């Protein structure tokens, strides 16, 4: 993520109706942290998902992220998404109980010497049972198994309220704030209007 864009003016900046203002926090680490303890045996494990189909990927992406307004991969052209999913420098992993996919981890190694957590999350019914720690420990293990110097991620105020603290406990340190302005996907029909009730809808007049 480029953090050298023009800075915002001090004070309040109005956001047009129908748009969303998303406060993004960028976090990074420069060495592998000590492993955090895993929860008691849950029957969950993390598996590499080699070249998932576009439809299968979007199904899990939607189940994990729709409550947090994840929309980019839902509206991306199929050919563009397929190119990402088959790129050898992109790793897709899933959290599974052996029969169901319950979590998504996408690691992006396309920047030399770096790894980005592009997407990380678990389905709503898996939140709070330690599944996030299982998935994050796998993220750290897989990222630092390659010759990287920097591992980074970004989260935002649309995400689960515990996300930022979770990333910091996992060894990431905040280094930048960004503000993202985008169309509200619930207004133009890309997502259901009843999703993400923690983010208000401001109707254009």
């Amino acid at each position: 993520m480029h953090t050298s864009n023009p800075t915002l003016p001090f004070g309040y900046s109005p956001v047009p109706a129908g748009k969303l203002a998303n406060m993004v926090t960028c976090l990074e680490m420069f060495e592998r942290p000590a492993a955090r303890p895993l929860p008691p045996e849950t029957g969950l494990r993390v598996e590499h998902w080699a070249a998932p189909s576009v439809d299968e990927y979007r199904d899990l992406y939607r189940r994990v992220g729709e409550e947090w307004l994840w929309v980019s991969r839902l509206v991306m052209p199929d050919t563009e998404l397929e190119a990402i999913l088959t790129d050898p420098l992109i790793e897709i992993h899933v959290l599974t109980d052996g029969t169901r996919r319950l979590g998504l981890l996408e690691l992006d190694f396309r920047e030399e010497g770096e790894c980005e957590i592009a997407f990380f999350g678990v389905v709503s019914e898996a939140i709070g049972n330690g599944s996030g720690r299982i998935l994050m420990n796998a993220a750290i293990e897989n990222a630092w198994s390659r010759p990287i110097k920097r591992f980074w991620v970004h989260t935002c105020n649309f995400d689960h309220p515990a996300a930022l603290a979770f990333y910091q406990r996992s060894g990431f340190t905040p280094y930048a704030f960004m503000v993202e302005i985008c169309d509200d996907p619930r207004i133009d029909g890309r997502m259901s209007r009843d999703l993400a009730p923690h983010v208000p809808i401001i109707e254009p007049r």
Side-chain angles (χ1 to χ4, degrees):
M1 177 178 292
H2 297 291
T3 56
S4 58
N5 295 335
T7 57
L8 292 172
F10 285 103
Y12 294 99
S13 297
V15 177
K19 307 292 183 182
L20 294 173
N22 192 3
M23 174 59 76
V24 177
T25 303
C26 302
L27 307 97
E28 62 189 355
M29 63 172 70
F30 293 98
E31 61 183 10
R32 182 173 182 164
R36 299 276 299 185
L38 291 170
E41 179 57 42
T42 61
L44 300 174
R45 62 182 184 271
V46 178
E47 297 179 347
H48 181 230
W49 196 10
S53 72
V54 167
D55 288 344
E56 288 180 315
Y57 175 92
R58 281 197 178 125
D59 174 69
L60 180 57
Y61 178 95
R62 182 181 292 105
R63 290 191 293 116
V64 169
E66 65 179 2
E67 194 58 45
W68 318 113
L69 295 183
W70 290 13
V71 69
S72 61
R73 295 292 172 81
L74 301 180
V75 299
M76 180 179 289
D78 289 357
T79 53
E80 186 177 339
L81 179 55
E82 184 173 14
I84 291 173
L85 299 179
T86 57
D87 190 314
L89 295 179
I90 301 288
E91 287 187 7
I92 312 293
H93 301 268
V94 293
L95 181 75
T96 177
D97 63 1
T99 58
R100 299 173 297 165
R101 299 183 182 111
L102 300 173
L104 173 66
L105 167 65
E106 183 174 327
L107 299 175
D108 186 342
F109 294 92
R110 289 178 293 181
E111 187 73 27
E112 185 175 359
E114 297 190 358
C115 177
E116 176 193 1
I117 296 182
F119 293 100
F120 178 98
V122 299
V123 298
S124 59
E125 60 265 33
I127 292 174
N129 67 355
S131 58
R133 175 53 53 201
I134 295 170
L135 195 60
M136 178 54 73
N137 280 14
I140 293 170
E141 173 71 26
N142 283 279
W144 289 104
S145 69
R146 297 206 188 193
I148 63 169
K149 297 179 180 179
R150 177 175 178 262
F151 187 28
W152 73 280
V153 64
H154 68 270
T155 186
C156 67
N157 64 304
F158 293 170
D159 284 341
H160 191 284
L164 179 58
F166 174 80
Y167 287 132
Q168 290 178 279
R169 287 196 305 273
S170 300
F172 291 95
T173 299
Y175 70 92
F177 289 131
M178 302 288 286
V179 176
E180 177 190 22
I181 306 297
C182 61
D183 293 326
D184 190 330
R186 298 166 298 178
I187 289 178
D188 61 18
R190 290 177 293 166
M191 303 189 82
S192 172
R193 292 181 65 90
D194 61 356
L195 291 174
H198 61 293
V199 181
I201 297 174
I202 306 297
E203 297 280 4
R205 295 181 179 179

